[in-house]
Amino acid sequence: MSGISRRNFIQITGGAAAVSTLGVSNILLAGKSAGHVVIVGGGIGGATAARYIKRADPAVQVTIVEPNKDYYTCFMSNEVLSGHRTLDSIKFGYKNLESMGVKIVQDYASNIDAGKKHVVTKKSGNIAYDRCIVSPGVDFKWEMIEGLDAKVAAEKIPHAWKAGPQTALMRKQLEAMKDGGTVIIAPPPNPFRCPPGPYERACQVADYLKNHKPKSKVLILDAKDKFSKQGLFMQGWKKHYGYGTDNSLIEWVKGAEGGIIEGVDAKTNTVTGSVDEYKGDVVNIIPAQKAGKIAFTAGLVNDKGWCPVNQQTFESTKHKDVYVIGDSSVASPLPKSGYSANSEAKVCAAAVVASLQGKDPAIPTLVNTCYSVLAPGDGISVAMVYNFDGKKIQKVKGSGGLTPMDSSPAMRAREEQYAHSWFRNITADVFGG
Ligand SMILES: Cc1cc2nc3c(=O)[nH]c(=O)nc-3n(C[C@H](O)[C@H](O)[C@H](O)COP(=O)(O)OP(=O)(O)OC[C@H]3O[C@@H](n4cnc5c(N)ncnc54)[C@H](O)[C@@H]3O)c2cc1C
């Protein structure tokens, strides 16, 4: 970490967490509130918000509208691709939330009527709310890649950027691929969910190929010229996968050198780049992203396709009493990550409870850490603490940073252990357990 030791960093983030928790309990203990909070989306942001509202004030009625019975975490889904874990190990249900008194409506929200204050659902009618929290994740800009749409992605060219059936499909394709095949991974332009994710995916797929199909390779066709934790990733690619040699298991083509892709032919697995055509045996195009569909229907987006919010509370600047958290919200400089969504959800839960109690919101502190596993026994991370300066979320100078380039193998092994323990902790924090 730059300019600060990990021990100091943990002290700072621990301190920050204590401040946030204190903020929440001050609000909670101050009085009984009632009211109904309807949450659209039971993913990382939505489920965390539900638990923390209930913890803050059990008298608040909380309903989650979520179409899926189970949620598959995107984090650690790259390890499903490499075969280091099963799809079942990233699957979570809503039983613990229900036992806290959260009502789960298994349905799809088709609109939010901010005037009448109700959520419109596909099958369950309108659900009235006092406050609505929206955490629908991302949607894809299919129109940017000719030949790609939701159906093609579900059946043939999985993006696997929402974990679940597409993760299973891509794993099956990798297993079926011949030795000597090419796996094309095409990361999207900024901004997108989990900036280091595509490059961790390249590592995990290369790890599988190294052990099972060593004549094969991963070809990264990137929409960008640089990416998150690039120095550390490239160092890891060299160490584990021969990057830069003739036998490299990973090749990276940057946007300026033909990495930008314009189309795909799903019948032949041919990808059309801005300069060349590439044939893949497995093709993984991660499309450009925007806020989840409901954010558009409900009029919560700006002209860039993301949801502007008051960064103190996450209340939408478009509609009163509607809050947007997670990937869909404009929370920069926080990245679009699960850790961010979890942190934003806690701030939002506290702000919603305060508002139901007629109180002022607290001044928030937020945290993010993103781990990436480069190979078994080798992890890296990027971390940061954030505060609110009265107008906007800001990075806290000197907090966090990157795993140092010259860190010892023992530290890198610890980083991998932290990654896995973070996964256990955050999923317990989000879904209970
Ligand atoms: C490969 C990969 C690896 C990742 N690794 C990490 C990592 O290591 N660390 C990290 O912090 N983050 C990681 N992430 C990012 C993380 O998964 C997301 O940032 C996080 O899930 C965002 O939470 P969210 O609540 O915004 O969206 P989601 O968790 O996607 O939840 C959205 C939910 O809303 C539901 N929904 C959508 N529309 C509607 C509707 N109209 N009605 C009802 N429900 C609806 C969906 O079904 C879904 O359950 C990774 C992502 C990927 C793809």
Side-chain angles (χ1 to χ4, degrees):
M1 281 188 193
S2 53
I4 191 159
S5 70
R6 176 163 292 274
R7 185 183 157 82
N8 286 343
F9 171 70
I10 288 165
Q11 280 168 354
I12 289 170
T13 54
V19 171
S20 299
T21 313
L22 258 183
V24 173
S25 41
N26 282 345
I27 293 159
L28 304 191
L29 297 177
K32 277 254 168 232
S33 76
H36 187 201
V37 180
V38 178
I39 300 176
V40 176
I44 303 306
T48 308
R51 282 193 83 230
Y52 275 77
I53 290 169
K54 273 293 183 193
R55 279 168 73 160
D57 187 347
V60 176
Q61 199 191 334
V62 179
T63 302
I64 293 181
V65 181
E66 163 62 52
N68 299 313
K69 193 168 127 313
D70 298 305
Y71 177 86
Y72 292 89
T73 62
C74 286
F75 29 88
M76 297 299 158
S77 67
N78 287 330
E79 288 194 344
V80 176
L81 298 177
S82 58
H84 287 304
R85 66 169 61 234
T86 62
L87 194 59
D88 255 7
S89 74
I90 58 168
K91 176 175 153 184
F92 296 87
Y94 297 100
K95 269 204 199 92
N96 294 327
L97 281 157
E98 283 177 313
S99 68
M100 287 180 89
V102 175
K103 185 170 178 206
I104 308 290
V105 174
Q106 203 186 323
D107 203 344
Y108 184 81
S110 38
N111 206 348
I112 298 163
D113 189 327
K116 294 189 180 136
K117 293 184 83 162
H118 64 230
V119 172
V120 182
T121 66
K122 247 187 177 167
K123 300 177 299 193
S124 319
N126 299 336
I127 307 176
Y129 65 77
D130 296 298
R131 304 288 182 276
C132 178
I133 300 176
V134 185
S135 193
V138 291
D139 198 2
F140 300 107
K141 297 181 176 176
W142 301 110
E143 68 283 1
M144 287 182 69
I145 305 210
E146 211 185 322
L148 192 64
D149 59 25
K151 188 166 183 291
V152 171
E155 291 171 1
K156 192 75 204 308
I157 313 279
H159 51 69
W161 219 241
K162 294 185 182 183
Q166 290 198 22
T167 316
L169 174 62
M170 189 171 163
R171 170 69 189 161
K172 228 159 114 189
Q173 291 178 342
L174 289 167
E175 285 176 306
M177 188 182 88
K178 64 177 189 288
D179 192 6
T182 299
V183 181
I184 294 177
I185 297 178
N190 293 322
F192 66 101
R193 153 179 288 189
C194 194
Y199 312 95
E200 180 195 59
R201 175 169 290 179
C203 293
Q204 288 295 321
V205 172
D207 176 68
Y208 170 69
L209 300 180
K210 184 176 174 178
N211 292 311
H212 300 275
K213 300 172 185 183
K215 289 188 230 138
S216 315
K217 73 169 183 185
V218 176
L219 173 61
I220 306 173
L221 297 176
D222 209 328
K224 305 176 292 305
D225 293 340
K226 53 184 188 174
F227 57 86
S228 170
K229 298 189 264 191
Q230 183 165 345
L232 285 163
F233 272 113
M234 289 190 157
Q235 187 192 52
W237 293 350
K238 278 185 192 145
K239 180 172 176 197
H240 301 290
Y241 310 116
Y243 186 65
T245 67
D246 288 347
N247 296 324
S248 179
L249 279 153
I250 297 181
E251 186 185 341
W252 178 64
V253 183
K254 63 164 92 165
E257 289 170 2
I260 297 169
I261 61 169
E262 294 167 352
V264 63
D265 181 345
K267 284 204 185 88
T268 59
N269 270 3
T270 308
V271 172
T272 312
S274 50
V275 177
D276 248 322
E277 275 195 354
Y278 304 88
K279 180 116 176 56
D281 296 274
V282 175
V283 179
N284 171 227
I285 297 174
I286 305 162
Q289 290 157 37
K290 58 185 179 183
K293 190 172 175 199
I294 183 80
F296 285 81
T297 330
L300 293 165
V301 295
N302 61 17
D303 57 355
K304 295 195 174 79
W306 301 100
C307 304
V309 293
N310 170 336
Q311 292 192 338
Q312 182 176 2
T313 59
F314 288 86
E315 185 172 9
S316 165
T317 55
K318 302 276 184 184
H319 291 307
K320 193 174 172 319
D321 295 334
V322 178
Y323 296 69
V324 187
I325 53 175
D327 292 345
S328 279
S329 69
V330 178
S332 165
L334 278 161
K336 296 189 185 301
S337 77
Y339 202 139
S340 300
N342 173 263
S343 203
E344 293 162 18
K346 292 173 186 176
V347 168
C348 179
V352 163
V353 172
S355 121
L356 287 170
Q357 293 180 347
K359 296 191 164 52
D360 288 338
I363 303 295
T365 304
L366 301 105
V367 191
N368 178 64
T369 305
C370 280
Y371 293 99
S372 305
V373 179
L374 307 188
D378 189 359
I380 57 173
S381 65
V382 57
M384 187 58 64
V385 182
Y386 304 83
N387 60 18
F388 180 73
D389 70 356
K391 284 194 180 133
K392 220 184 150 312
I393 294 169
Q394 301 280 1
K395 292 180 180 179
V396 173
K397 277 202 186 103
S399 71
L402 285 168
T403 305
M405 285 290 277
D406 58 359
S407 49
S408 66
M411 179 174 178
R412 298 287 283 258
R414 268 201 309 273
E415 289 272 48
E416 191 216 23
Q417 286 167 12
Y418 292 148
H420 291 144
S421 76
W422 171 79
F423 173 73
R424 288 189 294 276
N425 290 333
I426 194 157
T427 50
D429 194 38
V430 175
F431 296 103

